[in-house]
Amino acid sequence: MYVLRDDLSGYQHLHPDVADGTWTAPVTITDGGAYRVYLEFVPHGRPAGPDGPEPTVLGVPFVIAGDTTMVPVPAPRAEDRAGPYTVRRLDGVADLASGTQTALRFQVLRDGRPAVLEPYLGAYAHLSNFEVRTQGLKHLHPLPADATGGAPADGVLSFHAAFAERGDKRMFLQFRADGAIHQVAFTIFTT
């Protein structure tokens, strides 16, 4: 489950609990405005493709009354910080080509050395990509670093994706290290 304001701020990646067929998750919203909640799930019985069953993503808009402080989408930058961690986009701020398979590579560092990444919900990271114009969601996991599926020793997380539309994307990368979840965000443009 994801919650995001229409200016692509206030990002939350939540993991609901289920009881009696109802999914629930606490949500904290600190500012008024137009938001969207996204639910990503795999229906029972969906056949698996080469990468497993394809999830379904549904989104519903909602409005929170009150003052709103709009946040402009930040310009692209090559790195972001989360606590003691620096995450670098290895191709800097290069534009990506839409309509073709694209490799996104990020390196997680602590004190200038590759970070020791820990599994987080079955992967070493989660990359949630939102189209700025349409607010469409694409959720990605990194490719295995080696044949054993172990953590990347160099701290490099590689993602393959195809972006159908050109324009700005806002990406939220979450990873686990030192027993805690850390989050960074990047803006990327596709031509």
Side-chain angles (χ1 to χ4, degrees):
M1 177 177 167
Y2 305 87
V3 176
L4 190 66
R5 199 164 69 180
D6 65 354
D7 63 0
L8 301 182
S9 68
Y11 171 81
Q12 296 178 59
H13 182 184
L14 308 166
H15 301 281
D17 294 316
V18 66
D20 298 325
T22 301
W23 294 90
T24 59
V27 176
T28 301
I29 297 179
T30 60
D31 202 5
Y35 288 81
R36 179 173 289 269
V37 61
Y38 299 82
L39 302 170
E40 180 184 43
F41 59 94
V42 176
H44 287 291
R46 176 165 284 169
D51 298 322
E54 186 70 24
T56 294
V57 177
L58 300 175
V60 176
F62 65 97
V63 175
I64 299 294
D67 293 335
T68 301
T69 304
M70 298 302 286
V71 178
V73 174
R77 62 179 182 228
E79 69 179 42
D80 195 11
R81 292 192 55 84
Y85 297 94
T86 299
V87 179
R88 292 185 183 147
R89 185 176 158 205
L90 293 181
D91 63 350
V93 295
D95 292 346
L96 303 177
S98 58
T100 184
Q101 282 289 327
T102 301
L104 289 167
R105 298 177 68 230
F106 301 91
Q107 186 175 35
V108 183
L109 303 168
R110 181 174 182 151
D111 300 325
R113 292 190 291 279
V116 177
L117 300 175
E118 302 164 358
Y120 168 47
L121 297 172
Y124 285 100
H126 296 264
L127 183 65
S128 301
N129 168 63
F130 294 89
E131 299 280 340
V132 170
R133 186 178 60 80
T134 66
Q135 295 187 353
L137 164 66
K138 184 182 295 268
H139 178 190
L140 304 169
H141 297 136
L143 298 170
D146 58 35
T148 68
D154 57 1
V156 174
L157 299 164
S158 298
F159 300 85
H160 281 176
F163 301 103
E165 298 183 26
R166 63 182 305 254
D168 287 324
K169 280 61 171 154
R170 187 73 174 147
M171 298 183 181
F172 299 90
L173 176 67
Q174 293 179 302
F175 61 93
R176 182 181 177 97
D178 290 328
I181 306 302
H182 304 276
Q183 178 177 298
V184 294
F186 292 88
T187 301
I188 294 177
F189 187 77
T190 56
T191 60

